[in-house]
Amino acid sequence: MKPGFIVIAMAAIATLVGCGKQPQAQQSVAAANASADTGGSRSGDFGPPRGEPVEAVLTSPPEVPPPTNRNYPARVIVELEVKELDLEISEGVRYTFWTFGGTVPGSFIRVRQGDTVEFHLKNHPSSKMPHNIDLHGVTGPGGGAASSFTAPGHQSQFTFKALNRGLYVYHCATAPVGMHVANGMYGLILVEPPEGLPKVDHEYYVMQGDFYTVGKYREKGYRPFDMQKAIDEKPTYVLFNGSESALTGPRALKVNTNESVRLYVGNGGPNLVSSFHVIGEIFDKVQYEGGTRYQENVQTTLIPAGGAVTVEFHTEVPGTYVLVDHSIFRAFNKGALAMLEVSGEKRADIYSGKEQDEVYIGDKVESLASVATAQEARAQGTLTKEQQIQAGSALYKGTCSVCHQDTGAGLPNVFPPLARSDFLAADHQRAIQIVLNGLNGPVKVNGATYNSVMPPMSQLNDDEVANILTYVTNTWGNSGPAISAKQVAETRAKTKRVEGAAD
Ligand SMILES: [Cu+2]
């Protein structure tokens, strides 16, 4: 830092301290927040339930039930069924999830402050485990856990009064608790304030969770739970709504320009705290920690494990917005990435750029179905070169294309071409070793010398490397053999990873 700058900075600090006043905007937010009735438990009991009992409308993510639209406390009946299901955690990767209502996260529950909730928990006869539920919106020991222990094929019932307004996590609390949560046993319950929430154009339900599977990220086939990784807090996946493709491509959240959007965002954990961010948007309002008070004009908000947040924003510019955990390796290497598609007229006065940003969307631009197909074919021993090329084409994007370009042409003097590369054609085996271990020092490709660095990409699994290389060696005028996952596995075993590279 230049000495002159320090002087100016010190003077600025002195001015702030000297006048002892908060900036004006901050003061008005503080005033608004202070005057809000916080609706704590002592003022949240509006007497016994009135009228006919109401069946709660439960929704699967990303949908949110409609507002309760009631001005009196009612008896609300909630029926929730636990099911243990084999679902896709990533394209071509299956995992046994334990679910509240058949989805991860579980069904969204919406009640009004002061309601008496009659909770029925069922455990499907096909379940192998007993389960229960601890709702953070319950006032009472265990949050319902002890009263709701439910063996497979059984059901249990308990009742609570929702004394506090707010957005609350619920989760299973059967031992081993961490494992039940890691398998997807969490969801959200919204306790509306008595006057309801301000109307918005769209409400959506998104929940983050970390997952621990045997093997590498995107390693195909059935993957069991890995207890040691869970204890070490080293997730294989960090996901929104329980699957890598839950909210991407055709399943992206959809809104229009000039609309108000409210997201109910939870974090089931079991281990990680989320730094929740929407790339290209600013939250106009954040009810942090699911509570009553709010902050305005926020870029990234923290969501603790077992916590939630309500964020609101208004859409101006069309395009694809990316929801991430801004602990950014989780977004790009573990799956913590979702999309919000905003449709509408261009607003060049606000933003001139192109509408899709491949830098952020990476290989999710393309469906990864071809990747799963290739894996299935390999398992059945019917994998063709053509299938490998298709899978490789999808994976090349966002993995290699940033440097070698979509066309394989590279960039003069910086990134060597893969298209018609004589260096590549000379030794396809060497290419495996380059992807796994990187490359540096001078190389001569098609007569030009490059002296740069390619980082090791050993975080890719064997299938991914094999399919990408089969694509590269058989596209843009290249022709070569198919590279097999077995060859990659052998090269991985034979060569030493460079220091700092992934396994
Ligand atoms: Cu459970």
Side-chain angles (χ1 to χ4, degrees):
M1 207 187 295
K2 292 198 185 81
F5 181 79
I6 295 176
V7 173
I8 296 166
M10 302 257 286
I13 291 165
T15 316
L16 275 176
V17 171
C19 75
K21 249 173 137 183
Q22 288 179 307
Q24 222 169 15
Q26 215 172 315
Q27 264 185 341
S28 64
V29 172
N33 275 334
S35 67
D37 172 8
T38 54
S41 61
R42 272 164 299 177
S43 57
D45 187 351
F46 309 131
R50 283 188 260 150
E52 286 294 304
V54 181
E55 292 272 346
V57 178
L58 303 190
T59 57
S60 297
E63 303 306 327
V64 175
T68 60
N69 279 326
R70 254 187 295 109
N71 57 8
Y72 59 90
R75 171 173 285 266
V76 179
I77 296 161
V78 175
E79 306 251 6
L80 193 57
E81 183 170 40
V82 173
K83 293 179 193 152
E84 300 171 1
L85 300 171
D86 275 9
L87 299 169
E88 235 182 27
I89 190 166
S90 174
E91 252 353 299
V93 188
R94 281 176 306 106
Y95 184 73
T96 305
F97 292 92
W98 299 346
T99 73
F100 285 110
T103 55
V104 177
S107 309
F108 197 106
I109 306 167
R110 186 167 192 156
V111 301
R112 180 180 178 270
Q113 188 179 20
D115 280 348
T116 296
V117 182
E118 183 184 305
F119 208 102
H120 298 253
L121 188 72
K122 294 179 191 159
N123 191 357
H124 195 273
S126 67
S127 293
K128 298 196 170 55
M129 295 282 165
H131 301 285
N132 67 6
I133 193 165
D134 166 354
L135 297 113
H136 292 179
V138 167
T139 304
S147 347
S148 62
F149 181 87
T150 312
H154 288 69
Q155 66 167 306
S156 57
Q157 182 185 334
F158 66 100
T159 303
F160 68 93
K161 188 169 274 187
L163 293 179
N164 295 72
R165 66 184 66 176
L167 183 63
Y168 298 99
V169 167
Y170 66 77
H171 63 89
C172 183
T174 304
V177 178
M179 182 177 178
H180 285 250
V181 174
N183 284 341
M185 297 202 78
Y186 43 75
L188 291 181
I189 176 169
L190 172 66
V191 183
E192 290 178 352
E195 70 280 10
L197 292 167
K199 226 184 115 37
V200 288
D201 296 312
H202 295 277
E203 291 187 322
Y204 282 120
Y205 170 25
V206 178
M207 202 156 176
Q208 182 172 321
D210 28 300
F211 295 88
Y212 304 82
T213 64
V214 171
K216 276 176 119 59
Y217 171 61
R218 288 186 174 173
E219 198 146 323
K220 303 290 184 275
Y222 179 81
R223 295 280 132 197
F225 171 70
D226 188 324
M227 188 59 143
Q228 193 56 50
K229 278 192 188 173
I231 293 168
D232 295 342
E233 305 191 12
K234 288 186 171 156
T236 332
Y237 293 88
V238 181
L239 302 171
F240 294 117
N241 290 6
S243 161
E244 253 208 291
S245 57
L247 297 169
T248 59
R251 296 164 79 190
L253 303 174
K254 288 180 184 66
V255 304
N256 297 310
T257 50
N258 296 314
E259 288 188 324
S260 50
V261 182
R262 179 182 290 136
L263 302 180
Y264 299 104
V265 190
N267 182 10
N271 288 321
L272 303 186
V273 169
S274 173
S275 299
F276 183 68
H277 175 77
V278 178
I279 299 173
E281 258 303 342
I282 297 152
F283 305 135
D284 296 330
K285 196 171 153 187
V286 172
Q287 273 173 284
Y288 47 92
E289 295 167 7
T292 306
R293 299 191 176 202
Y294 59 85
Q295 176 61 287
E296 291 170 306
N297 305 311
V298 173
Q299 57 197 305
T300 302
T301 188
L302 280 171
I303 317 177
V309 69
T310 303
V311 303
E312 290 178 20
F313 52 91
H314 187 261
T315 55
E316 273 84 22
V317 179
T320 303
Y321 293 78
V322 184
L323 285 61
V324 294
D325 180 336
H326 215 295
S327 288
I328 211 76
F329 271 101
R330 299 177 188 169
F332 296 106
N333 299 73
K334 295 186 172 181
L337 188 154
M339 291 176 195
L340 172 78
E341 260 171 44
V342 181
S343 313
E345 295 287 309
K346 276 213 174 94
R347 284 294 303 274
D349 57 324
I350 298 177
Y351 183 67
S352 68
K354 56 180 175 176
E355 286 189 9
Q356 269 216 347
D357 196 339
E358 290 196 15
V359 172
Y360 284 128
I361 301 172
D363 64 15
K364 296 217 168 57
V365 174
E366 230 162 275
S367 161
L368 294 176
S370 54
V371 176
T373 308
Q375 171 52 34
E376 240 162 69
R378 177 159 94 84
Q380 288 162 11
T382 61
L383 181 63
T384 64
K385 195 170 166 185
E386 195 45 47
Q387 286 172 320
Q388 280 195 275
I389 291 171
Q390 269 177 18
S393 156
L395 291 164
Y396 178 86
K397 295 200 172 55
T399 307
C400 319
S401 64
V402 276
C403 297
H404 295 289
Q405 306 298 296
D406 254 349
T407 56
L411 284 181
N413 304 320
V414 192
F415 304 120
L418 300 177
R420 299 181 184 278
S421 155
D422 55 0
F423 185 86
L424 175 65
D427 190 347
H428 292 109
Q429 282 290 328
R430 179 176 56 191
I432 302 176
Q433 127 89 17
I434 290 174
V435 173
L436 291 178
N437 298 325
L439 186 67
N440 57 62
V443 284
K444 206 164 184 189
V445 184
N446 298 346
T449 300
Y450 296 82
N451 192 356
S452 187
V453 179
M454 171 167 155
M457 311 200 76
S458 47
Q459 78 279 2
L460 298 169
N461 66 46
D462 297 339
D463 282 289
E464 290 174 324
V465 176
N467 294 339
I468 289 173
L469 282 176
T470 302
Y471 167 71
V472 165
T473 54
N474 291 281
T475 317
W476 316 303
N478 294 347
S479 71
I483 310 277
S484 72
K486 189 158 164 277
Q487 284 173 290
V488 179
E490 282 165 9
T491 308
R492 202 189 286 272
K494 272 204 312 256
T495 58
K496 212 169 153 274
R497 298 290 76 72
V498 298
E499 202 168 63
D503 289 343

